């Protein structure tokens, strides 16, 4: 067992939440650590979705953030929101993988996971469009929103025009696929069955442990030969931080 595997299976959480409520619903996963102002912006978008959709649950996994962030997270209450605090900064991949492997099984399996970094904002309309496409496009894997064109836009290698794909619902969706590049993981949806049964609960199947790098690339590489992974036209997310660059409203 390597260090990543041991961290993903060690006891991290003491949740009393009724996870059976996740069954066939949508679960948003958010890993937090720093930048209180960005976390607040992002959670405002997420809470707007939570208030409007009864099929959405939110799980916040806090990676040993500073006291003001923990105080803010403790101030948020909703019957479909769960917050867990980890006593060390293990990074997004480890805490999300650990949570899924601890609490998700066939009896608690959501129909969709939506993973959102806490420096992303978006509209309810874009969220609804992303969910609808992720549920209906055949062979879709990791499906992201498009990003606002600013200095923190994480899209890369989108050389080719969008492909028009017919969904199981009869609707037509336009998806842009990156060339020789992974889909950015700031916000993306993925079917729960893929996570549990194809990825064996390791949403970010990294081969080597590190706190911040290669999460999205590891997922993309695990899916790229069997599933289609791309960005959904008609949606828009705003990315506030990239490296040492932070934008303001």
């Amino acid at each position: 067992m390597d260090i990543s595997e041991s961290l993903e299976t060690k006891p991290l959480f003491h949740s009393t939440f009724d996870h059976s409520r996740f069954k066939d619903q949508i679960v948003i996963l958010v890993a937090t650590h720093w930048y209180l102002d960005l976390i607040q912006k992002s959670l405002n978008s997420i809470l707007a979705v939570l208030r409007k959709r009864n099929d959405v649950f939110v799980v916040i996994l806090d990676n040993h953030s500073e006291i003001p962030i923990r105080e803010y997270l403790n101030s948020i209450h909703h019957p479909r929101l769960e917050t867990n605090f980890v006593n060390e900064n293990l990074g997004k991949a480890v805490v999300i993988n650990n949570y899924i492997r601890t609490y998700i099984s066939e009896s608690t399996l959501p129909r969709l996971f939506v993973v959102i970094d806490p420096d992303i904002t978006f509209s309810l309309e874009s969220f609804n469009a992303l969910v609808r496409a992720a549920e209906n496009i055949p062979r879709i894997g990791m499906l992201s929103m498009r990003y606002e064109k600013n200095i923190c836009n994480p899209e890369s290698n989108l050389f080719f025009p969008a492909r028009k794909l017919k969904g199981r619902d009869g609707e037509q969706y336009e998806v842009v696929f990156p060339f020789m590049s992974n889909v950015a993981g700031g916000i993306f949806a993925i079917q729960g069955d893929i996570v549990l049964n194809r990825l064996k609960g390791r949403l970010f199947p990294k081969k080597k442990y590190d706190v911040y790098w290669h999460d999205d690339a590891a997922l993309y590489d695990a899916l790229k030969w069997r599933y289609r992974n791309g960005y959904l036209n008609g949606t828009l997310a705003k990315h506030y931080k990239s490296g040492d660059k932070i934008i303001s409203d």
Side-chain angles (χ1 to χ4, degrees), residues 83 142 180:
T83 303
M142 182 183 185
M180 301 293 288

Side-chain angles (χ1 to χ4, degrees), residues 163-175:
R163 288 181 59 188
K164 295 180 179 179
L165 305 173
K166 187 175 181 179
R168 299 182 189 93
D169 57 354
E171 296 294 321
Q172 186 167 265
Y173 299 93
E174 293 188 0
V175 179

Side-chain angles (χ1 to χ4, degrees), residues 14-249:
H14 304 283
S15 174
T16 59
F17 195 82
D18 180 6
H19 297 93
S20 67
R21 299 170 67 198
F22 288 174
K23 181 66 176 176
D24 297 328
Q25 305 298 300
I26 299 167
V27 172
I28 295 175
L29 298 169
V30 186
T32 56
H33 177 61
W34 50 16
Y35 297 105
L36 174 59
D37 58 334
L38 299 185
I39 291 172
Q40 290 172 325
K41 289 178 188 292
S42 187
L43 283 177
N44 283 340
S45 290
I46 293 168
L47 294 173
V49 169
L50 192 60
R51 288 191 289 266
K52 292 293 185 178
R53 295 190 59 131
N54 293 327
D55 59 348
V56 168
F57 289 78
V58 176
V59 176
I60 300 171
L61 305 171
D62 184 72
N63 265 300
H64 196 53
S65 63
E66 295 181 347
I67 290 175
I69 293 175
R70 281 179 273 162
E71 289 178 342
Y72 166 67
L73 296 177
N74 273 322
S75 74
I76 303 171
H77 302 285
H78 191 282
R80 283 181 279 110
L81 182 146
E82 177 191 15
T83 303
N84 293 274
F85 295 93
V86 180
N87 291 326
E88 54 187 315
N89 180 21
L90 297 174
K92 167 183 165 182
V94 165
V95 293
I96 287 180
N97 287 352
N98 189 302
Y99 183 89
I100 291 172
R101 295 174 75 170
T102 302
Y103 296 116
I104 301 301
S105 63
E106 289 293 346
S107 64
T108 63
L109 184 62
R111 69 181 194 270
L112 280 182
F113 288 103
V114 181
V115 180
I116 303 174
D117 286 349
D119 58 357
I120 301 285
T121 60
F122 53 91
S123 68
L124 174 63
E125 292 73 22
S126 285
F127 183 89
N128 289 340
L130 179 70
V131 165
R132 186 165 58 250
E135 291 185 301
N136 285 289
I137 298 175
R139 289 198 308 110
I140 199 68
M142 182 183 185
L143 186 63
S144 174
M145 291 185 189
R146 297 301 309 269
Y147 286 88
E148 180 180 297
K149 296 188 184 303
N150 59 37
I151 60 172
C152 296
N153 183 340
E155 297 173 347
S156 63
N157 293 11
L158 302 185
F159 304 128
F160 304 110
R163 288 181 59 188
K164 295 180 179 179
L165 305 173
K166 187 175 181 179
R168 299 182 189 93
D169 57 354
E171 296 294 321
Q172 186 167 265
Y173 299 93
E174 293 188 0
V175 179
V176 183
F177 297 100
F179 178 72
M180 301 293 288
S181 178
N182 64 269
V183 173
I187 178 168
F188 69 90
I190 185 170
Q191 293 175 16
D193 181 70
I194 295 175
V195 175
L196 183 63
N197 296 311
R198 176 65 180 171
L199 299 174
K200 307 302 181 186
R202 299 192 73 221
L203 179 57
F204 299 105
K206 302 195 327 184
K207 296 180 180 179
K208 182 179 179 181
Y209 172 70
D210 48 55
V211 176
Y212 295 115
W213 299 105
H214 310 303
D215 301 358
D216 310 327
L219 173 58
Y220 183 83
D221 287 345
L223 298 177
K224 64 183 180 182
W225 300 116
R226 181 168 295 199
Y227 301 96
R228 299 187 283 199
N229 309 285
Y231 299 91
L232 180 66
N233 275 359
T235 61
L236 190 65
K238 186 173 184 177
H239 191 208
Y240 280 83
K241 185 180 185 301
S242 179
D244 58 357
K245 297 176 288 190
I246 299 178
I247 64 169
S248 59
D249 289 315

